[in-house]
Amino acid sequence: MYEAFYGLKEKPFSILPDPDFLFWGKTHSMAFAMLKYGIQNQAGFTVITGEIGSGKTTLIRHLLKHIDDNLTVGLLSNISENTSNLLSWIMMSLDQEIEGLSEIEQFKRFQDFLIDRYANGCRTLLIFDEAQNLGRRNLEDLRMLSNINADKHQLLQIILTGQPQLRDLLQHPELTQFAQRISSDFHIRPLVMDETIDYIGHRLKVAGGNEDLFNEQAKRMIFEASNGVPRSINVLSDTALVYGFAIEAPTITGAIVKNVIEDKNTYGVFPVECANKWPAPLKEVDVEEQ
């Protein structure tokens, strides 16, 4: 819609996880370092948590693009605590045939699969996205599966990513043994203001545009309105580009962002709490009059 007008190759603020747009904020860099550390040091469990929209899935997508050839990976998303026979889902994620097999036979085939991978110089990695939904029973099942090993070598490694509720879940007394298996963990925090300013410029540049398309005031207001959460930054920035295109504005200004946020508060489903935080008055921009 607005890409050609602003000289962009693609939309810079899609909310879909795209590792090509990954921005290395401080906590994202640390989280990725912990992911790599866990894999390289054969950690049984690695846990990465963060708020909704903080960039956890994008980090995983980036990891998958740079995974070692000696790792066989199974990716599972949104497995709920009501999911029965977790092992069958794991086997399907590893492209293993399970039709007609009993649970005991599935376990035997899974064990044989891990041993065969290890014998061929490979390890197996399972990644659970949105792992806060797993529930205590499924987490305990994962702990039992992690007991399959060869002497001091870890045949199975597991990465859990999830919302802050995952931390609360793992602190439950019934999961003490599970928590003791976690060798690497990190919580992703929102971007600070300077990082948000750089983030917006970074995504514009990756999309082929001018990283200064948003002026300083617009970027700071987006930070205040988004609280530094990448997905919220994307939603506000994308909408600001639509508003700017509608009035043929060469630069996205604070006045345009203010209009976006006020319209969200008036007409949107999810109001923006900090719309009245800005210290200086801003010139109104009426899209319909431009």
Side-chain angles (χ1 to χ4, degrees):
M1 180 179 181
Y2 53 68
E3 292 95 314
F5 180 78
Y6 286 117
L8 298 162
K9 297 182 298 183
E10 57 185 313
K11 292 181 68 173
F13 299 107
S14 170
I15 62 172
L16 297 176
D18 187 343
D20 291 338
F21 281 87
L22 182 58
F23 174 76
W24 293 107
K26 180 180 178 181
T27 62
H28 291 81
S29 297
M30 288 297 299
F32 190 71
M34 296 305 288
L35 283 170
K36 290 196 300 182
Y37 173 82
I39 291 174
Q40 292 170 1
N41 289 275
Q42 300 188 33
F45 288 93
T46 298
V47 176
I48 302 294
T49 59
E51 297 290 345
I52 297 173
S54 62
K56 303 180 296 296
T57 302
T58 304
L59 276 181
I60 292 299
R61 298 295 180 187
H62 181 76
L63 177 70
L64 292 173
K65 287 184 66 174
H66 298 86
I67 210 78
D68 291 338
D69 292 337
N70 67 342
L71 277 173
T72 300
V73 181
L75 177 62
L76 301 99
S77 300
N78 293 307
I79 301 294
S80 77
E81 61 183 329
N82 296 320
T83 299
S84 60
N85 193 6
L86 178 62
L87 182 56
S88 65
W89 291 91
I90 291 172
M91 293 290 280
M92 285 189 289
S93 77
L94 296 169
D95 295 325
Q96 296 301 298
E97 182 61 49
I98 60 170
E99 186 175 356
L101 298 181
S102 66
E103 291 188 27
I104 294 175
E105 290 170 330
Q106 286 181 34
F107 178 80
K108 178 63 167 58
R109 178 162 293 184
F110 179 64
Q111 181 174 256
D112 290 345
F113 173 83
L114 295 183
I115 293 172
D116 177 71
R117 292 281 78 203
Y118 174 72
N120 286 279
C122 296
R123 288 175 289 127
T124 302
L125 173 66
L126 298 176
I127 302 174
F128 288 83
D129 201 7
E130 301 297 340
Q132 74 279 351
N133 298 323
L134 281 168
R136 295 198 298 270
R137 178 178 57 82
N138 282 329
L139 286 173
E140 182 61 17
D141 286 347
L142 283 180
R143 184 184 71 81
M144 298 300 292
L145 291 176
S146 73
N147 288 330
I148 303 172
N149 52 45
D151 299 325
K152 63 180 180 180
H153 297 285
Q154 194 79 36
L155 302 188
L156 176 65
Q157 294 181 258
I158 298 172
I159 292 174
L160 304 178
T161 69
Q163 297 169 30
Q165 296 95 309
L166 177 58
R167 290 190 302 178
D168 300 335
L169 179 61
L170 293 174
Q171 291 171 1
H172 195 280
E174 290 184 12
L175 292 174
T176 299
Q177 291 188 67
F178 186 102
Q180 291 172 349
R181 301 285 185 93
I182 299 171
S183 304
S184 180
D185 64 283
F186 196 82
H187 180 72
I188 300 173
R189 297 190 179 278
L191 302 175
V192 299
M193 181 177 288
D194 287 348
E195 288 178 323
T196 300
I197 291 170
D198 292 342
Y199 173 89
I200 293 171
H202 166 77
R203 293 192 70 106
L204 288 166
K205 186 176 180 179
V206 172
N210 178 6
E211 57 188 303
D212 295 319
L213 176 57
F214 286 60
N215 71 15
E216 190 81 1
Q217 187 181 47
K219 292 175 182 176
R220 289 176 178 272
M221 291 171 62
I222 289 171
F223 166 73
E224 293 289 350
S226 67
N227 295 311
V229 176
R231 187 179 298 168
S232 297
I233 295 170
N234 288 358
V235 170
L236 290 171
S237 298
D238 182 67
T239 309
L241 284 170
V242 174
Y243 275 48
F245 170 71
I247 61 174
E248 299 185 353
T251 301
I252 304 301
T253 64
I256 292 174
V257 173
K258 180 174 184 287
N259 223 29
V260 167
I261 294 171
E262 288 184 341
D263 281 355
K264 282 187 173 293
N265 282 337
T266 303
Y267 308 111
V269 176
F270 305 105
V272 179
E273 295 180 359
C274 57
N276 298 319
K277 285 186 178 180
W278 307 309
L282 296 164
K283 180 181 178 181
E284 293 286 348
V285 177
D286 191 327
V287 174
E288 295 182 356
E289 292 180 1
Q290 296 295 321

